Amino acid sequence: MTPARTQYAMPRPTSVTALEDLDAHGLRVSDDMTVEVALAVMASARVEHLTVCDGDDQSTALITLVRLALLRDSSSYTDRIRLRDVKDGIPVPTASVP
């Protein structure tokens, strides 16, 4: 008898847009995740947003890559900012026009 060879195919990552339903697609993360970790997760998963969940695993917000990148590049950024802080209203600075 000849042994069968199993071939594994890696799934191709797809980009997810922020216009989709919160519960339908995308990665679900806890709201205590830091911005820096969230950016790393988004980069490795190649997604444009994350669905933020509370302690009861209920969707509470949709955080986009653009919003987190703007926050990270601002002067008010620290590595202690959590996603719950971003969704609860830490103002994300806007780019100033000269």
Side-chain angles (χ1 to χ4, degrees):
M1 189 183 312
T2 306
R5 287 189 175 189
T6 305
Q7 293 183 351
Y8 296 99
M10 295 297 295
R12 295 178 188 224
T14 59
S15 179
V16 181
T17 64
L19 299 176
E20 294 175 321
D21 182 35
L22 284 178
D23 293 323
H25 295 92
L27 297 175
R28 298 171 59 88
V29 297
S30 176
D31 63 357
D32 66 346
M33 180 180 283
T34 64
V35 169
E36 202 63 37
V37 173
L39 286 167
V41 167
M42 293 171 97
S44 65
R46 298 182 185 171
V47 295
E48 296 294 319
H49 79 278
L50 295 172
T51 301
V52 180
C53 300
D54 61 11
D56 296 326
D57 201 31
Q58 298 296 315
S59 300
T60 59
L62 186 73
I63 300 292
T64 64
L65 178 61
V66 172
R67 182 173 172 92
L68 294 182
L70 284 172
L71 177 63
R72 182 192 56 205
D73 295 338
S74 74
S75 60
S76 62
Y77 176 75
T78 71
D79 61 354
R80 294 182 179 203
I81 296 176
R82 307 230 176 241
L83 294 181
R84 76 169 63 96
D85 301 327
V86 174
K87 75 175 185 62
D88 286 342
I90 286 181
V92 174
T94 57
S96 59
V97 178

